[in-house]
Amino acid sequence: MSRIAILSALAQEQHGLLALLLQPQKVQRAGREFWLGDLHGHSVVLALSRIGKVAAATTATALIEHLAVTRILFTGVAGGLAPDVQVGDVVVASSFVQHDLDASPIFPRFELPLYGRAVLACDEILSALLFQAARDHLAEASAAAPARHRVHRGLIASGDRFVSAQAQSVALRRALQRAGHEALAVEMEGAAVAQVCLDYGVPFAAVRTISDRADDQAHLDFATFVREVASQYACAIIGRALRLLSNK
Ligand code: SAH
């Protein structure tokens, strides 16, 4: 049986999905709550990643080991790093890097020791599906209320830090660029889930709505955005992706 995990970073993002879940059944593991049920014709588990890489890795491991999920989709918010990635835009990950991993000079900066790589690729098919779902959602939303939000697809950087200063975000982007990585956005969980999924051979993809620009204003933008926009985006984009998946 195929079961899809839908991981949300924040409870506000999970509420809408939980409200649509048919035959919900709660399971507790590792101090976490998991909701099993049916969503848009798929057997799913809804879970909160919790915040930060280790917490997200624990959640992903529990999903795979104890709840037998066969695919993982992640929905959350992120700070925009590249200049054209603005608040309200959506970034679909093609891959992840851990921006706070530095075992140099033994391994090149950002490289995962013993993995021989810094970049963790997402599943091509699931990532394309999320990209289409995000584009369809934004096209429909802007038909109702014109807005210039865009959907991007590319590298996302994860690390155990809420980046909330312009100087920090510029330095982070430059350090990644020096190692050949052009990151579109920054958040705190995706690369950890990607690494667990690589270890287990579980297909993984992620979509992040840009809540802030990882600058001096980030904490204010973040709070407003999560409350007013992120939850609707998560529900709409994941809903569309699941419906597209039924048609394939
Ligand atoms: N729980 C707190 C703060 C959450 S931390 C609150 O609700 O106010 C921020 C979350 O959003 C993390 O899950 C992270 O993945 C993402 N995020 C959004 N903007 C970010 C930024 N500028 N830097 C790092 N992570 C960011």
Side-chain angles (χ1 to χ4, degrees):
M1 191 190 63
S2 144
R3 181 182 283 159
I4 305 171
I6 299 161
L7 264 178
S8 309
L10 305 164
Q12 293 97 314
E13 291 175 308
Q14 198 191 41
H15 284 156
L17 294 166
L18 205 49
L20 297 175
L21 192 68
L22 301 177
Q23 286 143 347
Q25 187 198 336
K26 186 165 83 175
V27 175
Q28 281 176 312
R29 272 272 171 183
R32 288 148 165 77
E33 286 183 354
F34 297 92
W35 287 95
L36 293 141
D38 290 316
L39 194 62
H40 301 293
H42 295 275
S43 169
V44 302
V45 192
L46 305 183
L48 294 178
S49 64
R50 303 244 179 133
I51 296 169
K53 291 189 300 172
V54 176
T58 300
T59 308
T61 307
L63 281 166
I64 297 167
E65 286 280 4
H66 301 295
L67 293 149
V69 305
T70 47
R71 286 175 281 195
I72 297 184
L73 297 177
F74 194 110
T75 151
V77 292
L81 265 195
D84 62 335
V85 177
Q86 297 296 331
V87 173
D89 286 3
V90 174
V91 176
V92 173
S94 57
S95 54
F96 281 96
V97 63
Q98 294 185 26
H99 70 71
D100 54 355
L101 208 161
D102 186 357
S104 61
I106 306 167
F107 296 96
R109 188 168 177 192
F110 307 117
E111 184 170 311
L112 293 164
L114 311 182
Y115 283 70
R117 70 182 86 175
V119 173
L120 297 159
C122 292
D123 181 74
E124 195 52 54
I125 294 169
L126 290 180
S127 163
L129 200 79
L130 287 179
F131 188 61
Q132 192 184 334
R135 288 191 16 168
D136 291 352
H137 175 61
L138 258 68
E140 194 182 280
S142 71
R148 296 180 314 276
H149 299 313
R150 294 174 54 198
V151 184
H152 311 260
R153 193 170 172 198
L155 178 71
I156 296 182
S158 311
D160 287 322
R161 189 201 308 162
F162 183 75
V163 181
S164 55
Q166 176 74 16
Q168 263 180 34
S169 107
V170 168
L172 178 59
R173 181 158 176 258
R174 293 232 172 99
L176 286 165
Q177 278 174 333
R178 276 198 294 275
H181 309 301
E182 188 59 64
L184 299 180
V186 61
E187 40 84 310
M188 301 176 68
E189 300 84 17
V193 179
Q195 188 174 343
V196 171
C197 286
L198 171 69
D199 287 341
Y200 281 98
V202 169
F204 167 65
V207 57
R208 293 270 182 173
T209 309
I210 300 303
S211 55
D212 59 85
R213 282 281 309 156
D215 57 12
D216 306 353
Q217 279 239 94
H219 59 294
L220 300 174
D221 295 343
F222 173 84
T224 323
F225 188 85
V226 167
R227 207 175 44 243
E228 291 170 12
V229 187
S231 48
Q232 287 95 309
Y233 268 45
C235 202
I237 295 171
I238 292 295
R240 276 181 191 273
L242 290 177
R243 289 195 297 272
L244 284 170
L245 204 55
S246 319
N247 300 333
K248 299 228 167 207

